[in-house]
Amino acid sequence: MFPLRQLARHATRVLPACRPMSASAGPMVDVADDGGIAVMTLQRAPVNSLNLDLLQAMSKALDDVAKNKPNGMILTSASPTVFSAGLDIMEMYKPDLKRAEQFWTTLQEVWIKLFGFKFATAAAINGHAPAGGCLLAMSCEYRAMVSGKYTIGLNETALGIVAPLWFMDTMCHTIRTRDAELALTTARLFTVDEALKVGLIDETASDKADAIGKCKNFIKKFDRIPPLARTMTKLNIRRGPLTHMQKIRQADTQQFLAFLQNPQVQQALEMYIQSLKAKAK
Ligand SMILES: CC(C)(COP(=O)(O)OP(=O)(O)OC[C@H]1O[C@@H](n2cnc3c(N)ncnc32)[C@H](O)[C@@H]1OP(=O)(O)O)[C@@H](O)C(=O)NCCC(=O)NCCS
């Protein structure tokens, strides 16, 4: 219906060359048109960890999708077991501060674009979605998650990281504040069934195709709703977190950079990286 795939592939090609951190070759984001619905697939192997390159590709792809005025957008992953492993820890460990600033402001930008997307959004969560992966899913309007031994949640505190206010706002926009507080302070990663129970996801799915089908059904519900009224209602109900972000954006970046320069934080990150590597062996 519209040349989304072509546009998004081009978008990722024109990105400036950055410190090579990705294990994957080729575009990190694929966008395909499925009957007027854009399906955005994250494909940064192995776990779609959000580094600067992937975030830049997502930011550009979101612009391209919006230009095509789709009926809606579904966010999913090319990995069979991981939706997204969240922020790429290597962007935060012993960072180059200029790049770290660019990394953080691009993450903010992606959130602003996705959370405030004019068109209907849904996440087909086909695997683990910790931290930033959970943030991306929560920024959509609807979530279908594939059943299995996957987890989802904001687990930053376990790494010695304080989830930014806008991560918390996004969670409070999704589940009850009381549940969000408990989940955040205990770094809780929910199983799929627990996530369903608390409202962190809307439906479970048997596999990725089923999750995408459920996302499509959600988006199709809006066929009967005048689009302008829908968009204005969405943006009005999301105005609080978006306005808050605009107010705190610079301070939030400075806070992040100061945080990265704290030796205790670096030590916690180092230990976490080692534990991930040990687990992978
Ligand atoms: C997402 C997850 C459950 C997937 O598990 P898995 O499929 O068994 O994959 P692995 O843990 O073996 O990870 C695969 C590789 O990605 C790396 N990786 C995983 N998450 C990463 C992250 N957030 N940033 C950078 N690298 C990451 C691992 O170190 C491993 O690298 P290696 O192949 O060089 O050893 C698991 O990787 C995980 O819990 N990651 C950390 C998530 C997290 O806490 N994110 C918060 C960031 S603030």
Side-chain angles (χ1 to χ4, degrees):
M1 191 163 290
F2 40 80
L4 281 169
R5 183 184 291 269
Q6 205 182 336
L7 269 171
R9 286 216 166 123
H10 173 70
T12 55
R13 270 204 308 272
V14 297
L15 290 171
C18 295
R19 180 163 57 130
M21 297 189 74
S22 164
S24 67
M28 293 186 188
V29 177
D30 181 72
V31 182
D33 169 31
D34 189 341
I37 295 172
V39 179
M40 185 182 292
T41 304
L42 306 183
Q43 45 188 31
R44 180 176 181 243
V47 291
N48 281 327
S49 58
L50 303 168
N51 72 342
L52 176 58
D53 311 53
L54 176 55
L55 290 168
Q56 285 176 326
M58 286 184 75
S59 179
K60 183 76 174 70
L62 284 166
D63 288 344
D64 290 337
V65 170
K67 269 186 216 145
N68 282 293
K69 300 188 173 34
N71 295 332
M73 188 188 73
I74 297 169
L75 186 62
T76 191
S77 155
S79 157
T81 54
V82 183
F83 176 70
S84 165
L87 303 189
D88 191 317
I89 297 163
M90 301 314 288
E91 293 282 13
M92 300 184 279
Y93 179 59
K94 296 185 179 167
D96 168 275
L97 288 182
K98 271 220 165 96
R99 182 177 166 111
E101 182 173 0
Q102 207 185 353
F103 166 69
W104 197 251
T105 53
T106 310
L107 175 68
Q108 292 170 332
E109 191 178 279
V110 166
W111 178 82
I112 292 166
K113 287 179 187 177
L114 184 60
F115 192 76
F117 207 62
K118 273 169 65 177
F119 307 94
T121 52
I125 311 167
N126 54 324
H128 295 286
C134 177
L135 178 78
L136 293 179
M138 290 190 302
S139 302
C140 296
E141 291 160 60
Y142 166 90
R143 285 152 289 281
M145 186 165 182
V146 174
S147 293
K149 288 184 177 171
Y150 306 129
T151 57
I152 180 168
L154 294 182
N155 61 325
E156 280 79 358
T157 32
L159 284 71
I161 297 175
V162 180
L165 273 171
W166 43 287
F167 279 50
M168 297 184 189
D169 281 349
T170 311
M171 187 168 243
C172 292
H173 193 84
T174 311
I175 60 175
R176 292 188 323 154
T177 304
R178 168 81 181 133
D179 291 327
E181 180 180 314
L182 274 174
L184 282 156
T185 51
T186 59
R188 182 166 181 189
L189 287 170
F190 295 82
T191 64
V192 179
D193 288 341
E194 288 167 349
L196 182 67
K197 207 168 163 195
V198 79
L200 190 52
I201 60 167
D202 299 290
E203 273 189 274
T204 57
S206 53
D207 57 19
K208 181 177 174 180
D210 187 33
I212 288 183
K214 284 178 169 156
C215 288
K216 278 193 207 161
N217 289 343
F218 169 77
I219 290 169
K220 280 184 187 145
K221 280 186 189 160
F222 298 119
D223 285 354
R224 285 167 277 131
I225 308 285
L228 185 61
R230 199 205 87 83
T231 300
M232 286 184 68
T233 303
K234 171 178 174 177
L235 295 185
N236 277 339
I237 208 153
R238 290 180 176 227
R239 183 181 294 180
L242 286 165
T243 310
H244 190 214
M245 163 60 102
Q246 296 302 352
K247 277 192 199 142
I248 61 155
R249 196 168 172 183
Q250 276 190 341
D252 180 64
T253 305
Q254 291 314 314
Q255 205 174 356
F256 174 69
L257 294 175
F259 193 70
L260 288 190
Q261 292 171 79
N262 180 327
Q264 278 178 343
V265 171
Q266 286 301 319
Q267 203 181 356
L269 287 174
E270 186 168 321
M271 283 168 65
Y272 194 66
I273 292 165
Q274 279 167 5
S275 73
L276 276 177
K277 298 253 172 251
K279 194 203 82 173
K281 274 183 193 158

